Structure formats: C-alpha cells, structure tokens
Amino acid sequence: IFLSVLVVCSSLSNTNLKSFSLNKKSTANPLSKEDKPVIIISLDGFLIVAGKQNETPFEIPAIIGKYNGKQEKEVKKDDILTGDEAKNKRKYLNIEYPFKNGKLDKNEKIIYKVFDDIFSILEVSPREHNLFLLVPVTYSKEDINFLADLLFDKFSIKKMYIMYDLLADIVTTGSMTGFVLNSSEDITVAAFIKKGKLQKESVVQIDKAGEDVTLELKKRLEERGLSFISAAHMDVLREIKRDYCFVSEDPDSEEVSEEVDLYDGIKVELRSEVFFSPEKYIQDSIEAVKKSAKKMDKKIEALAIGGSNAAMDGFVERFQSEFVDTQIEDDSEDKKRNMNFYGGEIITSMAFFNKRWISKEKKDKVADSAHMIYIE
C-alpha cells in the first residue's frame, strides 16, 4: 500500500520498497508550516477510506447513483451522486459500483465525480497537496495509468504516488517481510511480501468477501420468514453484519440471543446466524493464506490481517488458533479496518519518501506512462 506514481518501472511485479527504519522518532519528516498534509486515499469495491495525514480518515461508500426516473424533485435527471448522498437517496437512483470486484470502471466522468467529491469532503484543494493512492493488487497497469492521468490532468495534483494496498498493510506490523491477508467487503487477497517487495507468484484471490457474509446473513434470516427486497434493506443487513456478526472459535457450541431493529418497526431476535454467516468465509480466508504459503514453499511466521472484515470480533483470534506459531498483530477495530490507510501514513511520514513523489512533469518525461508505480 505504499507506492507513489513513479513512471520509470518496467513491470509492476518489480514493485519494491527499499529497506527503511520504522522508528518514526528517527526517520519521521514532520510538516513545516508551509507544507500541506498528504492526502491518503484507499480504494475498495464498496468503501473508500480517505483522509489527511495525521487525521482520522473518512469512510465513504464507493457507489455512484444515477437518476432512475422516480421523484425528479429529489434527484435531477442528469445528476450523478456519490458516497453518502447516493446511499441516502438510492431509492431514486440506479446504483453502480465503479471499483467493484477489484476492477476499475474507466469511465472518466464517473471517476472524476468520485474524486471531486472526496476532495470536497476532505475540504482540500488537490493542487496544493501530495496524494498517496492505495489500490488493489488486481489493478492493471492500464488502470493505474488511467487514474494517474485523470488525477494529474483534471485535478492538477501537486505530486502523487500510487501503491498496492497490501504493501501498506505489512508496514503497520513494523516489518517488511511476511504474509498479508486483505479482507475487505469486496475482495479478499492473500500474498507474501519479502523485504518490501510483493511476490506476485504468491497472490491468492478468493471469490468471497465481506459482502458474501452479508448475503449469507440475508439468506439465513429469510429462512426464518423475514424479507429483504430493497437496497435500503441491504444497508440494514450490512449494519447488522458489522455490529453483530462475529467469528466463533466453536460455532457448534455457541449460543446467542439479541433483539435488534430491522426496518419499518420490525424487530428480530438474532441467533446463530450472527456466527454461522461468517463461517464459510473465514474458512476460505484461512485456506487462501495456506495456498499462498504453499506457492512460496514457506512457513507462515508472520501474518498481517487488515480490511473491514478483519475488524469482526473473533476474526484475528480464529486465525491465531489456526496458525499457533505465527505472529499475528491484533490491533484496535479502527486500525484493522483501515490498516492500509495507517500504513500509508507511516510511509509518507518517512524522510526518505520525500524523494519518491512524482510530479506531472516527471511523469510526462517517460514515454510509456503506464509504468508508474514503482520504487527502485
């Protein structure tokens, strides 16, 4: 998760981070009065995490809404809404996910609107700041090139750096070598990082993520006679998943009973669905890490786990019981949910990183601008 927009590499598989001390006291590069804080943005299929360096980040729904023909008083015909505004008015909108399934919708108008609204939420002028952008490892060179060109050309970003989010995750552990599991709402990826370099052959992506836990919860509650037919109902389920679902050490002997509000005054008593819904996902995630280790023929000595699902109660503990001899960090819910953001903070605060930032002028000097996120 810490690569800046560099335009001199021959392949993303070369993505590397020179060894550096993680002792902030000795290497931190404090802002001067003239400096503007770095903007850090992490893209995910359902959630964008964005903020200024050393400030609490915002979580912004990664959705686009277009007028669906209903209630023109609420939404104008040509409006494109994003984030919380789109979420709050979604019954009047056709909803799209421009970053879903680890893929980028390269519609310039839509992506421009997303970033324009992010900068508005952060109350920043992008031309005055450096941008550190974290992207999924599934993004192609063309995806990265598209983002860099748009941000430089349309927003006049001062300087930029783009990096795979997995790299930023590992930095938060205080090490530059180990296995990483990024467990988000949209995509789940396991990989091995060696001395700051992503080992591309170790990458394992599974077809389940946090949204699958929500869908399993939906199925189990519907089997009890409840109905979830609208987008707003799905939002309620996602909130229940986030607030009440957990990973059990022993699901077969677990017991739960808690009444919660659903919608329209309907209440439900939550039972075994809150710990059985994540069960298949957690098993598949454990297998993904094992497959990554098998590909590298390595023992799993250290494992960093980040992403929105990692914040689920019992998630990290279940991994620790599976990998008894493995060092696994178990941080606060916020740090686990937004691990790559905080990794980006660490990287951009290092004195050495000042020389890594890429300007539009520096990028334009390279003929093949698709090769842009590389650290020598």
Side-chain angles (χ1 to χ4, degrees):
I1 284 186
F2 26 89
L3 294 168
S4 71
V5 186
L6 193 47
V7 283
V8 291
C9 68
S10 60
S11 170
L12 288 180
S13 63
N14 291 330
T15 298
N16 188 18
L17 188 66
K18 281 187 175 179
S19 59
F20 63 95
S21 169
L22 291 176
N23 184 336
K24 278 195 169 185
K25 291 183 179 179
S26 63
T27 60
N29 182 37
L31 294 171
S32 70
K33 291 182 179 179
E34 293 76 27
D35 288 333
K36 298 284 187 178
V38 172
I39 301 169
I40 302 171
I41 299 175
S42 177
L43 300 180
D44 183 12
F46 288 95
L47 192 69
I48 297 167
V49 178
K52 289 179 279 190
Q53 194 177 34
N54 301 320
E55 294 186 12
T56 302
F58 291 85
E59 293 186 351
I60 305 166
I63 61 176
I64 285 285
K66 298 178 182 178
Y67 178 59
N68 64 7
K70 302 175 182 177
Q71 294 289 339
E72 195 167 347
K73 290 182 180 179
E74 295 290 338
V75 181
K76 300 303 179 186
K77 188 175 181 180
D78 297 325
D79 282 353
I80 297 178
L81 306 184
T82 69
D84 285 317
E85 186 179 13
K87 180 179 176 181
N88 294 336
K89 294 185 177 181
R90 63 188 310 161
K91 64 182 178 179
Y92 311 115
L93 304 168
N94 293 320
I95 296 297
E96 300 175 10
Y97 298 88
F99 309 111
K100 192 174 181 180
N101 297 328
K103 298 177 182 178
L104 175 67
D105 179 353
K106 292 191 281 291
N107 181 315
E108 185 175 293
K109 184 177 181 181
I110 286 177
I111 303 303
Y112 173 87
K113 175 64 174 172
V114 170
F115 279 98
D116 190 47
D117 286 354
I118 291 172
F119 296 137
S120 178
I121 290 169
L122 298 181
E123 298 181 339
V124 296
S125 170
R127 66 178 61 243
E128 297 177 353
H129 295 260
N130 291 349
L131 171 64
F132 190 77
L133 180 64
L134 297 163
V135 299
V137 70
T138 52
Y139 275 26
S140 67
K141 298 172 188 177
E142 291 74 20
D143 292 334
I144 293 161
N145 188 51
F146 171 86
L147 288 169
D149 283 343
L150 183 144
L151 289 161
F152 274 133
D153 296 341
K154 302 298 183 182
F155 292 99
S156 301
I157 290 287
K158 187 177 177 183
K159 292 181 181 180
M160 186 168 20
Y161 202 88
I162 300 176
M163 181 177 281
Y164 287 141
D165 51 11
L166 291 175
L167 294 174
D169 286 346
I170 195 71
V171 166
T172 64
T173 68
S175 173
M176 289 305 299
T177 297
F179 286 89
V180 178
L181 178 74
N182 191 290
S183 173
S184 72
E185 286 301 293
D186 179 60
I187 187 172
T188 302
V189 178
F192 181 64
I193 312 293
K194 182 179 180 181
K195 296 181 179 179
K197 183 177 180 180
L198 174 65
Q199 307 299 294
K200 294 281 285 189
E201 65 274 23
S202 74
V203 174
V204 175
Q205 179 183 347
I206 63 174
D207 61 356
K208 284 185 172 57
E211 186 69 357
D212 294 278
V213 178
T214 302
L215 293 174
E216 180 65 21
L217 176 64
K218 175 178 180 286
K219 185 185 92 170
R220 288 175 177 271
L221 289 174
E222 286 178 338
E223 288 172 351
R224 293 173 51 189
L226 295 162
S227 178
F228 304 92
I229 58 175
S230 71
H233 293 169
M234 289 302 298
D235 284 338
V236 170
L237 283 170
R238 291 185 185 102
E239 290 174 8
I240 291 175
K241 188 277 296 283
R242 176 171 174 169
D243 294 340
Y244 295 99
C245 282
F246 65 94
V247 177
S248 173
E249 289 284 348
D250 185 6
D252 292 328
S253 63
E254 194 81 53
E255 291 185 7
V256 169
S257 177
E258 185 158 0
E259 187 177 76
V260 299
D261 293 321
L262 285 181
Y263 54 86
D264 299 334
I266 297 174
K267 296 180 182 292
V268 64
E269 181 184 7
L270 297 177
R271 301 173 193 161
S272 62
E273 54 272 341
V274 295
F275 53 82
F276 273 123
S277 293
E279 188 58 26
K280 182 64 168 66
Y281 174 66
I282 190 76
Q283 292 175 11
D284 288 349
S285 298
I286 289 170
E287 286 305 309
V289 175
K290 289 180 178 178
K291 286 179 181 178
S292 181
K294 187 175 181 179
K295 282 187 171 189
M296 300 302 296
D297 192 24
K298 283 189 173 294
K299 181 181 178 182
I300 306 170
E301 297 180 351
L303 174 62
I305 303 177
S308 55
N309 288 303
M312 194 182 301
D313 285 348
F315 193 97
V316 173
E317 290 85 348
R318 180 69 168 273
F319 269 84
Q320 192 66 79
S321 66
E322 183 72 27
F323 303 106
V324 177
D325 298 324
T326 300
Q327 179 183 346
I328 305 176
E329 298 288 328
D330 190 3
D331 218 320
S332 67
E333 178 180 345
D334 174 59
K335 289 292 176 66
K336 285 183 286 192
R337 281 183 65 83
N338 302 314
M339 180 179 281
N340 49 28
F341 178 90
Y342 291 110
E345 274 199 330
I346 294 172
I347 295 163
T348 56
S349 70
M350 298 297 117
F352 88 96
F353 196 77
N354 271 343
K355 297 179 180 179
R356 300 290 189 244
W357 293 109
I358 303 299
S359 65
K360 183 178 184 335
E361 292 70 28
K362 187 171 183 179
K363 171 186 173 296
D364 288 344
K365 288 180 181 179
V366 179
D368 185 0
S369 59
H371 306 302
M372 285 190 309
I373 66 167
Y374 174 66
I375 296 186
E376 302 166 83

